[in-house]
Amino acid sequence: MAPEKLPLFRAVATSTRPLYQLLRCINFAPRVHVQITEEGIRFAADHSRVMQGVAFLDKALFSAYVLNLPNLDDDVAELPNFQLSLASLLEVLQIFGAVDVATKAQKAEQDSYRSNLRNYRADAFSNQTLGIAGTCTLLYGEDGDPFKITIEESGVKTTAGLTTYIPELPDDIPFNREELSFKIIMPSRSLLDALAEVSPTAPEKLAIAVGRRPPFLSLAGTGDSGSSAVDFARGRDLLETFSTTDRWAQTYKFDFIKNSTEAMRIANKISLRGDAQGVLSLQFMVELEGGKRSFLDFRFVPFTVNDDDEDQLDASRAAGFEDD
């Protein structure tokens, strides 16, 4: 009898809580690209090549993690790649104990900007809210197979097979780390609160300005209902790390930035960086149970200067950055 063929990938988690928390942060695209590596699983979401979000589930989040690559001696062995519906995966992860909460969360996403942005305070990390007891097994047999999730709790086992699609990994939005214009590290909820202050005017655009004199960081929202702005003083209570080479001001679609607010809710710190081309990078550090840490990455492409030069100039002036 031929030996049973091993699946390409199998991992077991004792809780879906960290998986659900991290993956929900990038649930803004119909499908996500999944790449399984020796170190963990990379989920990448892309929106029209102007916004990207990446959640990396480190192998340390699992009690068992096995990747059976063919031709292990071959340096060019291809890692498992595919696309799937992240919304479907999230629905499976919250089967037990979180259905009511998930329904409330979906309704909260449809509420006003303020209720959505302020929604982080109520039991965001409780086991009843985002965790279930038992085990969760992820299984990928071979290329083209469904991605299977089996959740077992108190003797009840549920298995779902999610359809996988041909991988279409988008090119990463280029971000030049060698030409950083600024870098700021701050508590993520400080930025979340700032966006909540800007949001009541239902802005279409968000101008972000950074400079070497006050205000060191400014967020200005503009829309049909008016405009509003929030300034940050340079202090370790608000800006833990601050460095800039020169003044920097760019404008982004507010709804794209708003897509990262779930990450702001669960993260402890955020690193904001901007390069010379105007690309904005947001990196979130999330502290999980057992002293583990995970990271979420977002990148945003600004409005082009030709299309939005007047708005950027007005935002820069409103933030105190007059031309020298």
Side-chain angles (χ1 to χ4, degrees):
M1 179 180 296
E4 183 178 354
K5 185 177 180 180
L6 295 175
L8 275 177
F9 170 72
R10 182 178 183 273
V12 179
T14 55
S15 172
T16 62
R17 174 186 169 190
L19 312 184
Y20 180 87
Q21 282 182 315
L22 295 171
L23 293 178
R24 187 168 182 259
C25 295
I26 61 167
N27 189 27
F28 56 81
R31 295 178 185 174
V32 292
H33 184 89
V34 183
Q35 184 177 56
I36 303 174
T37 74
E38 294 280 5
E39 301 304 320
I41 315 173
R42 183 181 189 269
F43 291 80
D46 179 86
H47 193 301
S48 305
R49 301 297 194 272
V50 293
M51 173 187 178
Q52 291 177 343
V54 174
F56 186 74
L57 304 185
D58 192 280
K59 64 185 300 183
L61 297 176
F62 300 89
S63 58
Y65 187 97
V66 180
L67 178 60
N68 297 302
L69 291 177
N71 303 321
L72 292 179
D73 294 332
D74 188 353
D75 292 336
V76 295
E78 185 175 352
L79 295 171
N81 286 272
F82 52 88
Q83 286 189 322
L84 54 71
S85 167
L86 182 55
S88 298
L89 175 56
L90 290 173
E91 186 174 355
V92 174
L93 292 178
Q94 62 190 12
I95 285 177
F96 292 110
V99 175
D100 292 338
V101 174
T103 301
K104 294 178 182 178
Q106 290 174 352
K107 291 181 179 180
E109 292 293 340
Q110 301 172 1
D111 287 345
S112 65
Y113 282 98
R114 176 171 291 273
S115 63
N116 186 18
L117 293 170
R118 295 288 193 184
N119 192 32
Y120 63 80
R121 291 190 174 91
D123 298 327
F125 294 95
S126 67
N127 288 327
Q128 294 79 9
T129 299
L130 293 176
I132 64 171
T135 61
C136 174
T137 301
L138 308 181
L139 183 71
Y140 187 55
E142 60 183 14
D143 289 339
D145 278 2
F147 188 69
K148 294 183 179 180
I149 305 98
T150 299
I151 296 177
E152 187 169 3
E153 180 189 39
S154 301
V156 178
K157 181 184 293 186
T158 301
T159 299
L162 303 183
T163 301
T164 57
Y165 302 91
I166 297 175
E168 296 179 3
L169 181 62
D171 294 333
D172 287 342
I173 293 174
F175 183 74
N176 193 340
R177 295 178 177 83
E178 302 301 321
E179 294 186 8
L180 286 183
S181 296
F182 77 92
K183 179 179 180 179
I184 296 172
I185 297 178
M186 62 191 298
S188 61
R189 289 186 177 180
S190 296
L191 184 60
L192 181 61
D193 285 338
L195 290 178
E197 295 299 329
V198 172
S199 65
T201 57
E204 298 175 3
K205 300 173 183 178
L206 181 71
I208 301 177
V210 179
R212 289 179 291 183
R213 55 188 175 87
F216 298 100
L217 170 64
S218 178
L219 307 180
T222 58
D224 293 338
S225 300
S227 61
S228 56
V230 176
D231 297 334
F232 286 86
R234 186 176 180 179
R236 291 192 63 84
D237 55 334
L238 292 176
L239 304 181
E240 180 178 315
T241 297
F242 180 91
S243 63
T244 182
T245 58
D246 202 350
R247 72 179 188 184
W248 185 94
Q250 297 289 345
T251 303
Y252 304 87
K253 186 175 178 64
F254 182 82
D255 282 347
F256 289 165
I257 303 296
K258 178 174 167 283
N259 280 332
S260 66
T261 55
E262 183 62 30
M264 296 180 198
R265 275 192 279 267
I266 70 169
N268 301 85
K269 294 182 181 181
I270 177 175
S271 172
L272 295 82
R273 299 177 299 170
D275 69 8
Q277 299 300 313
V279 174
L280 177 67
S281 167
L282 303 183
Q283 293 184 319
F284 299 91
M285 184 187 75
V286 183
E287 294 185 356
L288 302 170
E289 291 179 339
K292 298 183 179 67
R293 290 180 176 178
S294 191
F295 295 88
L296 298 159
D297 294 279
F298 289 81
R299 292 182 184 181
F300 306 88
V301 174
F303 285 107
T304 62
V305 175
N306 290 336
D307 293 340
D308 205 55
D309 53 355
E310 290 300 326
D311 287 334
Q312 287 198 36
L313 180 59
D314 291 343
S316 298
R317 288 172 175 168
F321 296 106
E322 296 287 354
D323 290 336
D324 293 331

